Amino acid sequence: ASVAAPVAAPVARLAPLAPVVGPGGCSGATAVAAAVTQRGCGPELWGISLQQLRGLISDPRHKPGMTTRAVVEAIIKPDTAGAGAGYALLKNLAQPLKATVMVSHAWDAKYGDLVSALSASGEVGPFWVCATALYQAEDMPELTLERQLGSEAGGPLTKVLAESAAVLCVLTSASNVFTRLWCLFEIFTAAQLGIEVRVASRQSKFGMGGAIDELLIKLC
């Protein structure tokens, strides 16, 4: 079946993707003091490239229509279990990527729609996507999701946002980030920090969205 091309609100391109540290890894390179690190890397260095995000779709375990939540269970958790590092950092251990765009999206939307929206957005990243940034395996007490997110309001999220150029809200016809409390918190925190909030969307082949997306963009 044919699939409509993703569309996005016009955005300015950021500087070309580039690692911020050399082959030595994270030692001495972390610009943000973080309560929890992955292999010595603070959360601002848990970035991932668009090409690497596309790579998850090429993985044989990825099935059409899988949600981000399903991709985490089927691919990300098995590939990172016991490693003490999230998927993004494991992919870039030699040269960790400092995230310049934090992505706010709904986990129950199709992962393919997320990647399509990012591809059409004009952003070059590196991206901070919680599914790939956080260590999802939950098999190490020092790296639980709760500890990585922090106990205080915002926690590492606030620090990552402070180092980012923008927050990118991803809208799809199947899932609305504005009904997700965590997504709203990300957007609110960005606004409080004076970080630009941008929008990328993927409309369905049935033309859903339109005026609804326009309204959501204004709210964002």
Side-chain angles (χ1 to χ4, degrees):
S2 61
V3 178
V7 298
V11 295
R13 285 185 176 272
L14 301 176
L17 185 153
V20 297
V21 295
C26 299
S27 179
T30 301
V32 176
V36 176
T37 63
Q38 297 175 6
R39 299 198 179 188
C41 293
E44 80 284 6
L45 295 179
W46 303 346
I48 193 168
S49 70
L50 182 57
Q51 182 179 1
Q52 289 166 341
L53 290 169
R54 289 174 179 149
L56 283 165
I57 295 178
S58 302
D59 190 291
R61 293 166 291 181
H62 181 273
K63 307 301 179 186
M66 285 181 80
T67 65
T68 296
R69 193 180 306 278
V71 168
V72 168
E73 293 297 328
I75 304 175
I76 292 176
K77 282 187 177 181
D79 283 3
T80 59
Y87 185 85
L89 185 57
L90 279 182
K91 286 289 184 180
N92 300 291
L93 272 178
Q95 294 181 307
L97 299 179
K98 183 176 181 180
T100 59
V101 178
M102 172 170 277
V103 179
S104 184
H105 68 106
W107 274 41
D108 290 322
K110 294 178 182 178
Y111 180 76
D113 286 355
L114 167 65
V115 175
S116 293
L118 293 180
S119 298
S121 71
E123 305 285 359
V124 296
F127 299 96
W128 203 95
V129 180
C130 59
T132 58
L134 297 177
Y135 181 56
Q136 301 286 345
E138 290 274 59
D139 57 5
M140 296 183 178
E142 68 275 17
L143 276 178
T144 63
L145 292 175
E146 182 180 3
R147 285 180 61 86
Q148 291 176 86
L149 291 172
S151 56
E152 73 278 10
L157 169 66
T158 303
K159 297 179 177 67
V160 173
L161 280 171
E163 294 286 312
S164 300
V167 170
L168 190 65
C169 302
V170 175
L171 309 179
T172 71
S173 59
S175 189
N176 177 6
V177 296
F178 300 101
T179 64
R180 306 296 298 174
L181 184 58
W182 184 255
C183 293
L184 290 174
F185 177 69
E186 290 172 335
I187 296 166
F188 171 79
T189 304
Q192 292 294 302
L193 294 172
I195 305 300
E196 183 179 1
V197 178
R198 303 170 183 165
V199 174
S201 67
R202 189 195 189 291
Q203 294 180 346
S204 75
K205 62 183 179 180
F206 301 110
M208 296 177 65
I212 295 177
D213 281 355
E214 288 295 323
L215 175 59
L216 294 178
I217 289 170
K218 290 178 182 177
L219 288 173
C220 187

